[in-house]
Amino acid sequence: METGEYVKSIKSIKLVAVTAMSLFGLLTIIMTILFIVEKTSKEEKIYVSTDIGSFMVKRGELNQRQSWEVKNHIKSTIENLFENDIYTYRGNMESALNMMDNNMGIRIKDMMNKSGLYDLLKKENAYTKILFDSVVIKEMVQPYQAKVYFKQTVMWRGLNQVIPYGVLITVSEDSRSEKNPYGLLVNRFDLIKYEPGIDSGVMRNQTDSLKGNR
């Protein structure tokens, strides 16, 4: 009699255990489905700045990086480095450093300090503008590689001096933040030869056509 009750108790315990495991498995499946649905419905938001305002877009399938993101990150970095005046120089430099990895940032900061640009901006109340000729992404595989060609115009005392730059840049993925909205980091910034067929380096005594855009 006692043996029969023991066997019966064992069977009851097994039934409870199987039921509990089944419910746990079902709950796990439900939670997984809910997580996937929630993640899909709340894809990472990306904001694109244009001349007519900012717009929200969504990452494409498989969360793939788009080439325009890399281009915009590169252009923003270069604009912060090469387009400034005495009032914006330090703030722009800080913004540029937030878009580079630490080693690259140290190199760029040292290069800019040695260039004497800040002293010119301060002493002559000069300012600079840049014009991009091309930004070409080699291929969308990390690290992303790009060749950038642009001209920097330095203006002071009614003089304009145009300086062409060619730059080989590589960019890698990083986390997004307020200071780095595209979530990318420049980790290579090498100057390359660029001769666009203009009178580069020649100073012209003429009215600054860009002065009104400062």
Side-chain angles (χ1 to χ4, degrees):
M1 190 68 178
E2 291 180 357
T3 302
E5 291 179 354
Y6 176 75
V7 172
K8 188 176 180 180
S9 298
I10 293 297
K11 289 182 178 180
S12 298
I13 294 173
K14 286 183 177 181
L15 180 60
V16 172
V18 171
T19 302
M21 291 178 65
S22 299
L23 290 174
F24 179 76
L26 180 61
L27 181 62
T28 301
I29 293 173
I30 293 174
M31 293 300 293
T32 301
I33 293 174
L34 289 175
F35 174 77
I36 293 174
V37 171
E38 180 72 8
K39 184 178 180 181
T40 303
S41 64
K42 291 186 177 181
E43 289 181 324
E44 185 176 16
K45 296 180 178 63
I46 304 171
Y47 292 87
V48 182
S49 297
T50 70
D51 293 337
I52 59 175
S54 297
F55 301 91
M56 185 188 78
V57 298
K58 289 185 177 181
R59 229 10 123 64
E61 292 183 1
L62 303 179
N63 206 33
Q64 292 179 341
R65 176 70 72 176
Q66 302 299 315
S67 61
W68 56 262
E69 296 179 275
V70 180
K71 286 185 178 181
N72 284 354
H73 181 86
I74 289 172
K75 292 176 74 173
S76 295
T77 302
I78 290 176
E79 285 171 350
N80 283 325
L81 287 174
F82 293 92
E83 187 173 282
N84 39 51
D85 56 29
I86 188 61
Y87 305 105
T88 60
Y89 180 87
R90 297 197 183 282
N92 287 351
M93 175 65 72
E94 186 65 27
S95 296
L97 295 179
N98 286 319
M99 300 182 190
M100 303 177 176
D101 67 18
N102 291 335
N103 291 334
M104 192 72 258
I106 292 172
R107 282 183 55 196
I108 289 294
K109 190 172 183 179
D110 183 62
M111 180 188 78
M112 297 299 289
N113 287 339
K114 290 179 179 178
S115 71
L117 176 60
Y118 181 78
D119 293 332
L120 175 65
L121 297 176
K122 183 177 180 180
K123 182 179 179 180
E124 304 292 346
N125 193 29
Y127 58 100
T128 60
K129 292 287 184 179
I130 65 170
L131 174 66
F132 288 99
D133 291 335
S134 66
V135 180
V136 180
I137 307 297
K138 186 176 181 180
E139 52 182 311
M140 286 300 294
V141 179
Q142 284 201 67
Y144 311 116
Q145 297 184 28
K147 282 186 178 181
V148 185
Y149 298 101
F150 65 97
K151 302 182 189 77
Q152 180 191 50
T153 303
V154 184
M155 291 160 278
W156 79 102
R157 293 187 180 181
L159 298 176
N160 288 358
Q161 182 176 9
V162 179
I163 307 171
Y165 288 91
V167 186
L168 177 63
I169 291 179
T170 61
V171 180
S172 59
E173 293 282 350
D174 191 53
S175 57
R176 294 176 184 271
S177 66
E178 183 178 353
K179 294 181 178 181
N180 188 356
Y182 291 107
L184 296 166
L185 286 178
V186 173
N187 46 48
R188 181 181 177 185
F189 194 98
D190 294 337
L191 297 178
I192 55 178
K193 188 175 182 179
Y194 180 41
E195 297 177 345
I198 63 171
D199 295 331
S200 305
V202 176
M203 292 182 289
R204 292 179 170 80
N205 191 351
Q206 61 185 37
T207 303
D208 291 340
S209 59
L210 299 175
K211 194 169 185 178
N213 298 326
R214 288 185 67 183

